[in-house]
Amino acid sequence: MGLVPPTLHPFFVTCEPGAEGALRRELVNLRIRGPKGARAGVFFRGTFEEGMRICLHARTAMRVLLELAAFDASSAESLYEAVYELPWQDHLGADHTFAVRAQVSGSAAFTNSQFAALKAKDAIVDRLRVQLGRRPNVDPRDPDLQVALHVNGTQGRLFLDLAGAPLHRRGYRVSMTEAPLKETLAASVLALGNVSPEAPFLDPMAGSGTLAIEHALRARHKAPGLDRSFGFERWPSLTMRSEWTSMKEAARAAVLPRAPAPIWVRDHDPAALEALRENAAAAGVLGDLQVETAALSRLTAPAPQGTLCTNPPYGERLDRGTSGHDDVARDLALALHRVWGWAAVVLVPDPLFARTLTVRPAFSHRLWNGGLEVRLMRFELGTAAATDDRKARDS
């Protein structure tokens, strides 16, 4: 019973839309062979050990899904029959719990995801009642086994979710502010923005600190999954417990005692910085951060060179007392000219905000923050082009 290497399995690793390139590069760095990008994720064929490695080490991944089957889902009956035929006794015992999460698009047979999930759940329960003599319980909140069903048109795919809870739940977010950046999106910003973990780092509008904390974790080589548990650890079919223990021990031994360069975090709101301190302490990186209460208008460069990386407040975050969207953009534009010689990586909410910054970006990349389309822009503030923009602004 169970999933035994070196068997290769098809995997789909999900991510935020727009972060596919960052995830693919990350999987290559984790020695995953042949990852291929898709919308909001990456496919590859690999071992179960590689799936565990991604859960532990990947910073930009949201879910690690092991595909069990692809089948006709043109009707409720065909979906039920395909799911029923799978050997569920290999994955579940009668004393374990499970849940089915469904995602449906372009299907005439399923007008909502709940109906598709219900048919798959019924098939699993009925099959195990026949195979084991009794059925396992469904636990939608904290199941031992999370099953993911994707229906696209007439095709269905069924997956086991290795992580259980999404991978952005690192375990350190113990205090919240309005509209916090997801941990996986923050990691994608750092990766796509080419933020060096070896260079000084500054976030002048840090909020609850997700960008700075993710930067500190990466700078110290601390695996993002080191302080949390995963769904596969509770699977009755797991045969690689000693390998998993060794993997975690190796990851823990690789953590550096401190970040190699200064990390400054600032915000005008003392309550946000208190949340930041609590989260950084939970992540084990509070000692790496230099935390200050300061308005953006007072920003000066704390070092000759480094990277300013920030997610300016917009939408809900403006309720924290900022004077408005346009004022934040103008204040940030002035701040960029006071850290000349630095690089700046900014998550920009709209084109008007970007134009207000008055400096042309070295590149712009489209991402989604929840359902909101945003632009990730990197500015090289010491280049000739940036200097020309600065002269044009001052003239």
Side-chain angles (χ1 to χ4, degrees):
M1 180 171 87
L3 303 164
V4 181
T7 304
L8 297 182
H9 309 279
F11 283 90
F12 183 55
V13 184
T14 71
C15 64
E16 304 286 352
E20 297 89 351
L23 174 59
R24 184 179 176 278
R25 289 194 295 273
E26 190 170 26
L27 296 191
V28 169
N29 290 335
L30 289 173
R31 305 188 305 281
I32 304 302
R33 297 175 294 271
K36 296 179 175 59
R39 171 68 175 170
V42 171
F43 286 101
F44 75 96
R45 291 188 64 83
T47 65
F48 193 77
E49 183 273 339
E50 290 173 321
M52 295 194 302
R53 191 190 312 156
I54 294 169
C55 285
L56 181 61
H57 288 283
R59 301 182 188 279
T60 61
M62 283 289 290
R63 295 186 181 275
V64 181
L65 305 178
L66 185 155
E67 185 174 319
L68 290 182
F71 48 84
D72 172 52
S74 58
S75 68
E77 292 74 20
S78 62
L79 185 150
Y80 175 94
E81 291 171 2
V83 176
Y84 183 89
E85 288 303 316
L86 295 173
W88 289 105
Q89 75 280 5
D90 288 354
H91 309 293
L92 269 172
D95 296 324
H96 294 87
T97 61
F98 79 101
V100 179
R101 182 185 70 253
Q103 179 180 321
V104 174
S105 62
S107 171
F110 300 99
T111 57
N112 64 73
S113 59
Q114 290 182 341
F115 178 51
L118 179 64
K119 295 303 293 184
K121 184 269 294 181
D122 288 346
I124 295 170
V125 166
D126 292 347
R127 175 73 169 183
L128 284 171
R129 186 182 287 116
V130 170
Q131 292 172 326
L132 304 177
R134 58 192 182 99
R135 53 161 287 174
N137 289 323
V138 174
D139 183 351
R141 295 193 176 189
D142 187 28
D144 295 320
L145 184 73
Q146 178 73 254
V147 179
L149 169 66
H150 291 184
V151 177
N152 185 9
T154 61
Q155 185 179 51
R157 291 181 180 274
L158 205 67
F159 303 86
L160 300 184
D161 188 335
L162 270 67
L167 291 174
H168 78 269
R169 297 180 187 172
R170 315 283 206 223
Y172 66 72
R173 182 166 281 169
V174 295
S175 187
M176 301 276 281
T177 56
E178 292 90 349
L181 202 62
K182 271 186 182 176
E183 297 88 331
T184 45
L185 183 57
S188 298
V189 167
L190 298 170
L192 293 167
N194 297 327
V195 177
S196 170
E198 309 293 329
F201 177 96
L202 165 65
D203 186 349
M205 294 177 283
S208 58
T210 310
L211 278 169
I213 293 170
E214 287 295 317
H215 176 77
L217 291 172
R218 186 173 66 146
R220 290 183 55 187
H221 301 172
K222 183 174 181 180
L226 202 51
D227 295 330
R228 60 160 284 174
S229 60
F230 298 97
F232 67 80
E233 295 176 88
R234 296 160 58 180
W235 293 3
S237 59
L238 182 63
T239 61
M240 302 181 67
R241 299 189 188 278
S242 62
E243 291 89 341
W244 174 237
T245 298
S246 297
M247 195 183 300
K248 288 192 295 181
E249 289 174 349
R252 203 170 297 280
V255 179
L256 298 178
R258 61 178 300 147
I263 302 172
W264 293 280
V265 283
R266 297 172 179 169
D267 201 280
H268 77 284
D269 183 4
L273 292 180
E274 183 58 32
L276 183 153
R277 289 185 181 93
E278 292 177 7
N279 293 335
V285 298
L286 180 58
D288 297 290
L289 309 184
Q290 299 182 40
V291 184
E292 300 176 1
T293 304
L296 182 62
S297 59
R298 295 171 49 200
L299 179 68
T300 58
Q305 290 183 320
T307 304
L308 182 153
C309 184
T310 195
N311 174 35
Y314 48 88
E316 294 176 35
R317 286 180 66 203
L318 285 176
D319 294 339
R320 293 198 289 113
T322 54
S323 52
H325 179 283
D326 294 341
D327 289 341
V328 171
R330 283 192 293 269
D331 287 347
L332 182 57
L334 293 171
L336 293 184
H337 289 274
R338 291 196 299 272
V339 292
W340 212 249
W342 281 49
V345 175
V346 183
L347 207 56
V348 176
D350 57 53
L352 179 60
F353 192 107
R355 286 196 294 272
T356 305
L357 297 181
T358 70
V359 182
R360 284 172 291 177
F363 63 79
S364 175
H365 185 88
R366 186 166 58 175
L367 284 171
W368 275 261
N369 185 3
L372 179 66
E373 181 179 336
V374 293
R375 287 281 175 170
L376 171 66
M377 293 185 171
R378 180 179 171 98
F379 302 89
E380 302 291 351
L381 300 176
T383 63
T387 300
D388 290 343
D389 291 338
R390 185 181 192 180
K391 289 178 180 177
R393 168 189 170 274
D394 294 338
S395 63

